[in-house]
């Protein structure tokens, strides 16, 4: 079977930022620690007035193509995953291709384009589609560009307001990739749920607390399904990037996953002296008593040195970018992978041929778990990214500016404000066309 996976990745943040423990907590009259310690968030990225899901996607893709020396003819497929689309018919990928055609010779006339929707998991589904397209030999030697892009805004005052974010990740999917190969086994947990949805509306209707329970249940089912195909052990994976709506969510999911994977292994035996063995359902008369015992065991587990060492090694490094940018919805799990690889490079960790266990999630609701193998080109690839530069250069919003920018990106409002940053060598939103389409130009 062919080795197919992610050959290269690019990152594009919205150019504004909102300081959560500073600006946001002060106006909300909340303890800053609720954001930094509770949710695990320091800042959210926002798009400036001339940025949107298309500009962020096109700017990430252009940097990807330039870096890899690609021309439109090299690309046979452009897939966009988003839950922030502004058009029910024309996919964002056509707008992105239109942008790119302004700056390259040639065009994407023979590239298959589409748009994937299943909340935040659509980015992973698009990668899967592109991998399958290449594995099925339908690509005629060409690569695919998969882009996840979102402006993840909540209604002002919604419980999710602190978890907003905006940005895009562009991934080049190809044979014999430099970054990671994607293993074929997949675990799925999927149930019709109404935890988070946008029925013909821009901002989500969210049942915040329930959405967290649904996330955990679907992840557990996906892991169980994965384990029917692949044997797992806590030490099998260098990193475990999860979908990260906010780092506190992953902090809750991680011990449940660890407990599950450690059950029946020597890890459980070794921990037994300290915290006892894991409760088994057959030892309890009723479900509630079993659940209570499981919770007690899990709380003790998180206090053990063994768990904490694993968490610091395999989970914590996946959360860094997310804590600085907020929830990027379809990009979130791809930021978690990127964060881990960036951490490994910065800390001299040798990842060649190491494995990742990737847990994606989309409300509505579905989780997917698969393995990836890191390829020897990973370090050179990650070295070429400018994640920190983009994040440091973001314009720090005052509260009044945040309110205006939220209105600018609210489809129900028609607010015109001056941009807070100056565009340079990038695609910008440039007004409306005769059929209500959004127009874009490249600014030198
Ligand atoms: N110091 C330390 N910690 C503090 C604190 C302080 N001073 N004050 C509060 N905290 C802790 C709380 O104890 C809580 O942690 P625990 O859950 O571990 O107890 C945490 O900070 C958050 O506090 P609250 O629960 O009071 O926060 P909230 O109710 O204002 O909002 C939320 C939490 C409901 C998740 C909200 O952010 C939300 O609605 N988010 C959008 C939905 C979401 O992201 N759901 C996640 C799963 S769905 C998904 O993943 C899809 C997706 O991308 C949207």
């Amino acid at each position: 079977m062919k080795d197919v996976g992610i050959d290269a990745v690019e990152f594009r943040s919205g150019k504004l930022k909102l300081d959560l423990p500073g600006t946001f907590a002060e106006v909300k009259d909340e303890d800053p620690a609720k954001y930094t310690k509770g949710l695990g968030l320091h800042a959210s990225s926002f798009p400036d007035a001339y940025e949107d899901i298309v500009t962020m996607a096109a700017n990430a893709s252009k940097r990807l193509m330039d870096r890899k020396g690609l021309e439109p003819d090299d690309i046979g497929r452009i897939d966009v995953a988003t839950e922030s689309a502004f058009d029910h018919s024309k996919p964002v990928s056509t707008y992105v291709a239109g942008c790119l055609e302004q700056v390259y010779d040639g065009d994407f006339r023979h590239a298959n384009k589409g748009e994937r929707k299943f909340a935040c998991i659509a980015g992973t589904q698009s990668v899967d589609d592109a991998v399958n397209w290449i594995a099925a030999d339908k690509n005629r030697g060409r690569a695919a560009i998969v882009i996840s892009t979102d402006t993840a805004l909540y209604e002002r005052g919604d419980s999710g307001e602190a978890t907003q974010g905006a940005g895009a990740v562009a991934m080049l999917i190809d044979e014999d990739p430099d970054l990671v190969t994607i293993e074929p086994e997949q675990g799925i947990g999927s149930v019709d749920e109404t935890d988070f949805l946008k029925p013909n509306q821009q901002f989500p209707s969210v049942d915040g607390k329930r959405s967290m329970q649904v996330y955990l249940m679907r992840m557990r089912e996906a892991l169980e399904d994965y384990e029917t195909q692949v044997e797992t052990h806590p030490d099998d994976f260098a990193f475990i990037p999860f979908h990260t709506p906010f780092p506190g969510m992953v902090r809750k999911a991680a011990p449940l996953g660890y407990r599950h994977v450690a059950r029946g292994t020597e890890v459980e035996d070794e921990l037994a002296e300290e915290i006892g063995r894991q409760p088994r359902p057959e030892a309890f008369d009723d479900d509630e008593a079993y659940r209570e015992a499981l919770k007690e065991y899990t709380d003790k587990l998180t206090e053990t040195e063994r768990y904490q060492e694993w968490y610091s090694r395999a989970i914590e490094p996946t959360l860094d970018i997310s804590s600085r940018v907020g929830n990027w919805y379809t990009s979130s799990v791809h930021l978690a992978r990127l964060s881990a690889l960036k951490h490994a490079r910065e800390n001299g960790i040798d990842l060649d041929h190491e494995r990742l266990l990737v847990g994606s999630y989309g409300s509505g609701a579905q989780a997917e778990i698969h393995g990836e193998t890191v390829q020897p080109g990973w370090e050179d690839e990650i070295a070429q990214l400018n994640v920190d530069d983009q994040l440091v250069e973001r314009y720090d919003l005052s509260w009044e500016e945040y309110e205006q920018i939220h209105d600018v990106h609210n489809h129900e409002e028609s607010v015109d404000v001056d941009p807070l940053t100056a565009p340079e060598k990038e695609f910008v939103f440039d007004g409306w066309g005769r059929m209500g389409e959004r127009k874009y130009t490249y600014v030198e």
Side-chain angles (χ1 to χ4, degrees), residues 31 33-34 38 120 154 159 163 196 208-209 211 243 245 252 327 363:
D31 182 351
K34 170 175 174 180
C120 308
Y154 288 77
S159 67
T163 67
F196 171 112
K209 300 287 179 201
S211 73
H243 169 61
K252 281 184 200 302
N327 192 356
S363 295

Side-chain angles (χ1 to χ4, degrees), residues 174-379:
D174 208 351
E175 211 176 324
D176 299 325
D178 279 344
L179 212 54
V180 292
T181 51
I182 298 191
E183 298 168 10
E185 296 82 7
Q186 263 180 337
I188 301 284
S190 186
V191 173
D192 176 11
E193 294 275 6
T194 46
D195 51 334
F196 171 112
L197 54 157
K198 299 180 176 179
N200 279 328
Q201 62 197 46
Q202 183 189 1
F203 300 132
S205 298
V206 195
D207 186 341
K209 300 287 179 201
R210 187 170 148 64
S211 73
M212 295 165 74
Q213 292 309 317
V214 175
Y215 175 113
L216 297 176
M217 289 188 287
R218 301 295 83 82
M219 279 288 189
R220 176 172 48 75
E221 291 159 2
L223 183 56
E224 285 166 355
D225 193 36
Y226 182 69
E227 286 179 325
T228 62
Q229 306 155 72
V230 182
E231 263 188 42
T232 54
H233 183 283
D235 299 335
D236 281 352
F237 303 98
F239 294 107
I240 306 186
F242 279 99
H243 169 61
T244 311
F246 52 93
M249 184 71 238
V250 173
R251 204 176 49 229
K252 281 184 200 302
L256 308 189
Y258 187 88
R259 189 190 70 208
H260 189 88
V261 171
R263 190 173 304 155
T265 68
E266 86 291 352
V267 177
E268 185 186 8
D269 299 341
E270 284 162 27
L271 284 168
E273 280 182 27
E274 204 180 332
I275 59 172
R277 298 193 71 77
Q278 296 197 22
R280 304 301 204 258
E282 51 278 15
F284 294 85
D285 291 336
D286 64 83
D287 203 41
E288 204 178 312
Y290 169 58
R291 281 181 193 290
E292 193 47 45
L294 263 187
K295 185 177 175 318
E296 212 175 289
Y297 178 89
T298 311
D299 289 345
K300 285 195 228 153
L301 175 67
T302 59
E303 297 300 317
T304 63
E305 209 180 314
R306 174 132 200 181
Y307 175 81
Q308 288 177 1
E309 187 280 329
W310 171 83
Y311 186 86
S312 313
R313 174 185 64 72
I315 305 289
E316 190 93 59
T318 68
L319 305 176
D320 175 59
I321 297 178
S322 162
S323 75
R324 297 155 76 193
V325 305
N327 192 356
W328 285 14
Y329 287 165
T330 52
S331 293
S332 167
V333 69
H334 307 293
L335 289 183
R337 180 198 296 104
L338 175 56
S339 194
L341 297 177
K342 180 172 171 292
H343 165 89
R345 180 177 171 267
E346 287 163 359
N347 290 278
I349 299 170
D350 180 7
L351 279 188
D352 289 8
H353 308 296
E354 292 287 339
R355 292 178 70 219
L356 312 178
L357 187 68
V358 180
S360 305
Y361 175 75
S363 295
Q366 180 162 304
E368 188 259 16
I369 289 184
H370 69 261
E372 297 179 359
T373 307
V374 181
Q375 298 302 304
W378 73 275
E379 206 168 346

Side-chain angles (χ1 to χ4, degrees), residues 18-33 35 399:
L18 181 65
D19 182 324
L20 292 168
T23 313
F24 192 82
E26 191 183 326
V27 173
K28 297 283 175 184
D29 198 19
E30 298 262 25
D31 182 351
Y35 302 99
W399 183 257

Side-chain angles (χ1 to χ4, degrees), residues 42 67 88 149 151 167 219 251 273 312 331 347 376 412 428:
H42 292 268
R67 225 163 39 66
H88 289 304
T149 182
T151 297
M219 279 288 189
R251 204 176 49 229
E273 280 182 27
S312 313
S331 293
N347 290 278
E412 305 277 297
V428 297

